[in-house]
Amino acid sequence: MDNNLLQIKFKERLNKLASNDYDNIECWQIVEAFNKAQLEWIRNQIHVNPNHKDSDESSKMQIDDIQNLLLTSKILAKKQDLYYETDPIPANYLYFKRVSIKGKSDCCPARMLTVYLDETADVDSLLTDEFKSPSLEWGETFCTMQSNRIRIYTNNEFDIVEPMLTYYRKPRLLEIKNCVNPSTGLTYTADVTCEFKDDVAELIVDRAISIIAGDMESFNQMQIAQQREIQND
């Protein structure tokens, strides 16, 4: 969806087309609301816990809608006592998906391990649990996250190689050419469009309109936008 069409949709749904009866919507308000709305929409789509009734890959449609945000990249990890700690997560990181590693020891060649994301508070109990502690033999271990780093636990029983992080990145932020960014005072010199498919962009527009309408106390437009979003979500 190009930015000209996007702005028209905002103005039409907020009854702002060349009307002097209402306050004009500034382009920076559209940018701010849209960028906020797309982050909210993404958060609602992504529930990495597969036990959640609406997990991020619970349907083919959800997989298709957010697959463009998934990235896999190598990440360095240094050996510590009981675990390996990675470098800081990438700057464009938004949500965790999975960690892939290979484990090896003096007696065993490198093999793929399944890595589960667990709570930091449970580390001590997990390390002493015979069914959940890191095991090269059983091909599984666990990891935790803290201070923007990932700790992959080995219990000093094996080494890890080739760690890979799969994650949801931050979405591309909307920018409208010749619009002034109020936070920086700088003018956008080129259009940056929504990277999602048009049907998803429509949902994000509806959510953004409800944000603007709520800010303006235009409750009728806000309710219409919210109902449209619920019907199409």
Side-chain angles (χ1 to χ4, degrees), residues 36-220:
K36 182 176 188 296
Q38 71 174 347
L39 284 173
E40 290 181 355
W41 180 84
I42 293 167
R43 188 177 183 87
N44 285 348
Q45 302 307 306
I46 297 175
H47 299 281
V48 180
N49 181 359
N51 295 321
H52 193 286
K53 65 182 181 67
D54 293 320
S55 64
D56 59 328
E57 294 184 337
S58 61
S59 71
K60 291 182 179 179
M61 181 172 289
Q62 278 188 300
I63 293 173
D64 191 65
D65 283 347
I66 57 178
Q67 50 76 29
N68 60 312
L69 298 179
L70 276 173
L71 286 180
T72 298
S73 64
K74 294 180 180 179
I75 189 166
L76 298 177
K78 296 180 180 179
K79 188 174 183 179
Q80 309 288 342
D81 185 33
L82 301 177
Y83 60 85
Y84 279 73
E85 185 172 73
T86 69
D87 284 348
I89 55 180
N92 65 346
Y93 173 93
L94 188 61
Y95 298 118
F96 179 92
K97 182 59 178 175
R98 66 191 292 259
V99 166
S100 305
I101 63 167
K102 290 182 180 180
K104 67 175 185 177
S105 64
D106 293 338
C107 64
C108 302
R111 58 170 295 190
M112 292 296 299
L113 272 66
T114 301
V115 183
Y116 301 99
L117 178 63
D118 276 298
E119 298 177 19
T120 301
D122 294 336
V123 167
D124 291 341
S125 61
L126 290 170
L127 289 175
T128 56
D129 189 317
E130 62 176 314
F131 298 108
K132 297 180 180 180
S133 62
S135 172
L136 185 59
E137 179 183 0
W138 290 99
E140 61 182 25
T141 184
F142 66 92
C143 68
T144 61
M145 295 185 70
Q146 64 183 76
S147 302
N148 287 329
R149 298 173 187 264
I150 300 170
R151 292 182 176 181
I152 306 166
Y153 285 81
T154 64
N155 220 6
N156 295 333
E157 296 181 4
F158 55 88
D159 295 317
I160 69 170
V161 293
E162 301 178 22
M164 304 285 289
L165 173 65
T166 301
Y167 62 98
Y168 291 100
R169 62 170 174 82
K170 296 175 183 177
R172 185 172 67 205
L173 296 179
L174 181 77
E175 294 181 6
I176 297 177
K177 185 178 180 179
N178 296 326
C179 183
V180 177
N181 183 339
S183 64
T184 64
L186 301 177
T187 301
Y188 297 124
T189 57
D191 278 326
V192 177
T193 59
C194 174
E195 65 178 305
F196 293 102
K197 300 177 301 176
D198 284 353
D199 60 333
V200 173
E202 291 280 1
L203 296 175
I204 297 172
V205 167
D206 286 337
R207 184 181 289 260
I209 287 170
S210 68
I211 291 172
I212 291 179
D215 291 342
M216 297 173 58
E217 297 185 352
S218 182
F219 298 112
N220 185 43

